[in-house]
Amino acid sequence: MIIGVPKEIKDNEARVGVTPAGVNALKEAGHTVLVETQAGAQSGFPDEEYQNAGAEMVGDAGYVWGKSEIVVKVKEPIESEYAYFREGLVLFTYLHLAPLPALTNKLLEAKIIGIAYETVRDRRGTLPLLMPMSEVAGRMSVQVGASYLEKERGGRGILLGGVPGVPPAHVVILGGGVVGSNAARIALGLGAKTTLIDVNLNRLRELDDIFNGRLYTLASNRYNIAQTAREADLVIGGVLIPGATAPRLVTREMVAHMKKGAVIVDVAIDQGGCVETARPTSHSHPSYNVDGVVHYCVTNMPGAVPHTSTLALTNATFSYVLRLAGLGAREALRQDAGLAEGLNTWLGTLTHGGVADSQQRAWTPAASVLG
Ligand SMILES: NC(=O)c1ccc[n+]([C@@H]2O[C@H](COP(=O)([O-])OP(=O)(O)OC[C@H]3O[C@@H](n4cnc5c(N)ncnc54)[C@H](O)[C@@H]3O)[C@@H](O)[C@H]2O)c1
């Protein structure tokens, strides 16, 4: 099988779909890997490493797309890449098709086999190819928050862990899923007083156990959120109601009552944010101030640490790439119902109910098209 790894060209995207280690494993399995020159450079993987691992380096993106049977990417294709689409090509990447009817049409017209990272499920029903990015964002949220708490960056001038004789900062985390629990790990590690709020009491029990009582847990309700927001130095938003916009748990009024120079990192901003005053920001302009409270609401936080993010992502995606290459798409999808949930388009047919619902169009379940 010929596997292609183009360089990502979406604005500010520095990750890459396959690392040199991945190339090595694919080569050992007897496949050919075409990597576009400089594809991994911004993630810390120079062309030389790919070459040493056995990749064929190609200067022309069109050639990579044109010769490959499977293209492994990170982000959804942008318009200038549509010209490379052709019938039967397997595209394995984040697609996020629900809000993108134009891309959906192009994939269907070109009869692409589109498998989206974000809808692949594992045996436990979780989303294994989304989880690594939540891990990165969760851990990063405390690091970013600690930095914005410094005076220079508009914060209260507080050291997260305090020092002997001076109390630590109070970190309040909304949501105890992947983002929240990873944020809690770092906040506690840095010595902050850490409170985590979730609606799921069983999850709070689990976290209480995992963190051995060092984490304060609270049931999610308006009263508890208002009170902890007032006391917080750093609020981290990590709630998710799958498929829905995030609930606005911290209201404008609560923000107005927060300490001046406190910091909000709303990780859930990609689902609309769980803080009423949050609006999406980018790495070039990451923060702004409302009522003296610093807001950091970057929608693609893992993009700031592409080396870690590429490794975390490819650790999770790679076994699927190997199976798709080894068995061919149809057989790999037939053998793994969770991977088949990742199938969004199959040779001109839309095969994902969620995408179909949000675009109000017809669809056919993956199992029917795979035969
Ligand atoms: N900004 C970024 O770069 C970035 C990166 C990764 C993930 N995210 C986003 O972070 C958010 C969280 O992701 P996750 O993987 O941790 O999700 P998750 O499903 O693992 O966890 C979400 C948690 O929120 C809790 N929750 C739901 N409603 C709540 C409420 N009313 N009060 C308190 N808790 C509530 C759930 O019980 C669950 O424990 C998602 O929106 C995700 O897309 C953003």
Side-chain angles (χ1 to χ4, degrees):
M1 195 73 91
I2 304 178
I3 296 109
V5 186
K7 180 172 161 42
E8 294 297 320
I9 52 175
K10 192 169 172 170
D11 187 30
N12 267 316
E13 182 53 66
R15 290 172 292 175
V16 60
V18 178
T19 60
V23 170
N24 188 260
L26 285 164
K27 282 292 286 183
E28 277 191 4
H31 305 294
T32 298
V33 191
L34 306 179
V35 177
E36 190 179 345
T37 44
Q38 296 292 300
Q42 292 192 74
S43 282
F45 303 112
D47 288 353
E48 204 183 17
E49 271 191 47
Y50 281 101
Q51 234 153 3
N52 293 340
E56 286 177 32
M57 303 309 292
V58 179
D60 173 20
Y63 188 89
V64 175
W65 282 84
K67 289 286 173 204
S68 303
E69 294 158 277
I70 303 176
V71 164
V72 183
K73 270 176 57 60
V74 177
K75 294 304 283 186
E76 72 282 356
I78 61 171
E79 233 174 291
S80 61
E81 291 169 312
Y82 295 176
Y84 305 136
F85 290 180
R86 64 168 205 281
E87 182 168 349
L89 175 70
V90 177
L91 177 61
F92 191 41
T93 189
Y94 286 120
L95 281 174
H96 295 291
L97 288 184
L100 299 174
L103 173 60
T104 312
N105 286 337
K106 288 287 174 194
L107 292 170
L108 292 171
E109 277 163 30
K111 302 198 167 141
I112 295 258
I113 297 172
I115 307 171
Y117 292 164
E118 71 276 6
T119 61
V120 171
R121 284 191 189 272
D122 61 17
R123 281 200 193 88
R124 291 174 302 162
T126 59
L127 302 166
L129 306 187
L130 266 190
M131 194 182 285
M133 294 305 101
S134 287
E135 289 169 338
V136 170
R139 291 182 181 211
M140 203 182 134
S141 65
V142 178
Q143 193 172 309
V144 165
S147 157
Y148 277 99
L149 276 172
E150 291 171 14
K151 196 76 200 157
E152 277 285 286
R153 308 201 73 182
R156 301 189 65 221
I158 286 193
L159 183 65
L160 214 63
V163 289
V166 182
H170 187 185
V171 177
V172 173
I173 302 168
L174 302 168
V178 183
V179 165
S181 56
N182 277 279
R185 181 177 299 273
I186 301 300
L188 288 168
L190 288 174
K193 175 183 174 186
T194 308
T195 302
L196 186 143
I197 300 179
D198 204 296
V199 271
N200 180 343
L201 294 185
N202 284 329
R203 182 61 181 157
L204 292 182
R205 286 186 187 104
E206 259 171 37
L207 292 171
D208 183 67
D209 222 28
I210 291 168
F211 292 108
N212 218 354
R214 289 190 302 142
L215 179 70
Y216 295 88
T217 56
L218 271 180
S220 180
N221 57 50
R222 198 182 160 92
Y223 183 87
N224 283 344
I225 293 169
Q227 189 168 24
T228 45
R230 262 199 308 275
E231 294 164 5
D233 298 298
L234 169 60
V235 172
I236 293 170
V239 301
L240 175 67
I241 299 176
T245 43
R248 292 289 173 106
L249 300 180
V250 179
T251 62
R252 185 173 289 276
E253 197 193 338
M254 291 180 199
V255 172
H257 285 100
M258 283 175 69
K259 296 176 191 167
K260 300 302 163 209
V263 175
I264 295 174
V265 177
D266 197 348
V267 185
I269 192 66
D270 61 341
Q271 298 289 333
C274 56
V275 176
E276 200 177 347
T277 45
R279 57 175 166 78
T281 61
S282 66
H283 288 293
S284 37
H285 296 99
S287 69
Y288 59 95
N289 197 300
V290 176
D291 285 336
V293 175
V294 181
H295 290 53
Y296 173 99
C297 310
V298 173
T299 48
N300 62 332
M301 292 173 64
V305 287
H307 185 71
T308 302
S309 299
T310 288
L311 287 169
L313 177 65
T314 55
N315 280 346
T317 53
F318 191 68
S319 63
Y320 295 103
V321 175
L322 211 51
R323 267 182 282 152
L324 286 166
L327 297 167
R330 186 189 288 267
E331 200 44 40
L333 290 160
R334 265 195 194 142
Q335 287 187 14
D336 181 345
L339 178 60
E341 290 208 40
L343 187 66
N344 280 217
T345 63
W346 174 266
L347 304 174
T349 305
L350 186 62
T351 48
H352 196 273
V355 175
D357 284 351
S358 47
Q359 294 186 18
Q360 296 176 335
R361 54 206 293 174
W363 69 290
T364 306
S368 313
V369 297
L370 294 171

